[in-house]
Amino acid sequence: MSHVIHGAEDSPVPEGPPADFAGQRVCVVPRPRVEAALRQPATRQLTVVDAGYYPHAAGHRRRRDRGSRDVVVIVCVAGRGTLEIDGSSYAVGPSSYAVLPAFVPHAYASSTDAPWTIWWVHLRGAEIGDLTRMLMPEGRPVARIRSADRAVALFDELLSLLERRLSPAHLLAASGVAWQLLTRLAADSALPSEDSPLEKAMHYLEARVDGNIRVGELAALVSLSPSHLTTLFRRATGAGPGAFHTGLKMARARTLLDTTTLPVADVAGEVGYADPLYFSRHFRRHHGVSPTAYRAQAKG
């Protein structure tokens, strides 16, 4: 049996499958509570409207010819589905999410041969436009994440809050979880997959903070050209492999300065600088102070 919605919904209880998906969870915040939350300073930036979990959702379909008043975020953890939006079709599979901006016509459906299992949430708020753009790198509404486990844990926490009660305090907590969920999805989608050449290169550099390696040598280790590897680093980190490695060295240097009494010269050696003066110049360039001045700063 298929369940289809047409038009832009804003009814107190969204239409949909009442009990067709064994084990499903659905929480709908009454609209007066939503409107009240949108007037409060702590929740007006982001408010949860509805949230749910549909396991093995055979026949699940949605079509909104005028879009939705809410931003809809779907995380797929198993099975497959498709999304149609702005005249394009996108595949949605395990460890991926879909973002549907408000008032944009769209349709999505679970696969007939491999029905998806999804967690979903509807959101409103003053910051929802910026958050939506954050989740759509290069304007794509679908993105892969490294692992859905953390997102699922946050969805479970969100639903547990809403299932318990809908007090202002619980809606505030739900908004906080939703913020964390969206930023987690955005961050995970920007990170390389564990077995990718970029991740292997990053791990290699992380394990060799006390050494130095040329970009060409690093690229050869992961079977990429130096230019391709540099492009991947810039997309993921905003800088090339050398700057990434230097950042790791500076992080390790800060830890040693904060947690040990090692002389600055020894700290320099621990992070691959044979010349302590060169290390000090590099450190000052990144932190605005010398290693000695950094160590003397009060922290905490």
Side-chain angles (χ1 to χ4, degrees):
M1 179 178 179
S2 295
H3 309 277
V4 186
I5 288 179
H6 295 278
E9 101 293 335
D10 191 29
S11 57
V13 179
E15 299 176 51
D20 293 81
F21 311 136
Q24 74 176 32
R25 298 165 69 185
V26 178
C27 291
V28 177
V29 181
R31 292 308 179 258
R33 296 284 185 96
V34 172
E35 296 303 327
L38 290 170
R39 291 193 295 269
Q40 297 300 313
T43 49
R44 66 186 177 199
Q45 305 303 322
L46 184 68
T47 293
V48 177
V49 178
D50 310 312
Y53 167 64
Y54 287 165
H56 197 72
H60 178 227
R61 300 175 60 200
R62 294 289 182 268
R63 180 188 177 98
R64 301 183 179 101
D65 294 331
R66 297 188 301 277
S68 168
R69 181 178 176 182
D70 313 318
V71 168
V72 183
V73 178
I74 300 169
V75 173
C76 179
V77 297
R80 299 190 306 275
T82 56
L83 165 67
E84 295 180 6
I85 187 170
D86 285 337
S88 298
S89 181
Y90 301 87
V92 182
S95 294
S96 66
Y97 68 80
V99 184
L100 311 175
F103 301 111
V104 176
H106 59 257
Y108 50 89
S110 179
S111 167
T112 55
D113 59 339
W116 62 16
T117 293
I118 58 171
W119 297 78
W120 52 268
V121 62
H122 288 223
L123 302 159
R124 296 181 195 172
E127 296 292 334
I128 196 63
D130 287 339
L131 291 169
T132 302
R133 287 185 286 275
M134 175 187 70
L135 288 167
M136 298 175 64
E138 301 176 356
R140 287 182 55 84
V142 175
R144 289 192 56 80
I145 50 179
R146 287 169 58 128
S147 170
D149 292 346
R150 292 173 179 172
V152 167
L154 290 168
F155 264 114
D156 182 66
E157 182 180 357
L158 177 63
L159 278 165
S160 296
L161 280 167
L162 299 177
E163 288 167 341
R164 194 170 302 131
R165 64 185 67 162
L166 294 175
S167 68
H170 281 74
L171 292 178
L172 173 59
S175 292
V177 175
W179 273 98
Q180 190 176 357
L181 171 65
L182 299 187
T183 54
R184 167 58 61 187
L185 291 175
D188 277 4
S189 69
L191 293 171
S193 61
E194 285 290 348
D195 58 350
S196 69
L198 177 58
E199 186 67 11
K200 291 176 182 177
M202 288 178 167
H203 280 314
Y204 187 90
L205 294 177
E206 288 167 347
R208 291 161 179 79
V209 173
D210 59 346
N212 295 286
I213 184 171
R214 296 180 182 277
V215 174
E217 296 170 354
L218 181 64
L221 287 172
V222 296
S223 303
L224 294 177
S225 69
S227 61
H228 188 189
L229 180 63
T230 298
T231 297
L232 293 178
F233 262 95
R234 291 190 184 282
R235 285 178 183 169
T237 70
F244 177 81
H245 202 200
T246 297
L248 296 174
K249 291 172 179 287
M250 292 296 110
R252 176 61 177 160
R254 290 193 300 274
T255 298
L256 292 173
L257 291 168
D258 286 334
T259 61
T260 74
T261 58
L262 284 175
V264 170
D266 290 349
V267 172
E270 288 288 329
V271 295
Y273 288 84
D275 183 349
L277 291 178
Y278 182 62
F279 164 72
S280 293
R281 288 197 297 271
H282 239 192
F283 191 93
R284 181 185 290 276
R285 188 181 308 153
H286 281 79
H287 301 89
V289 295
S290 69
T292 300
Y294 172 83
R295 173 177 269 167
Q297 290 175 342
K299 303 178 182 72

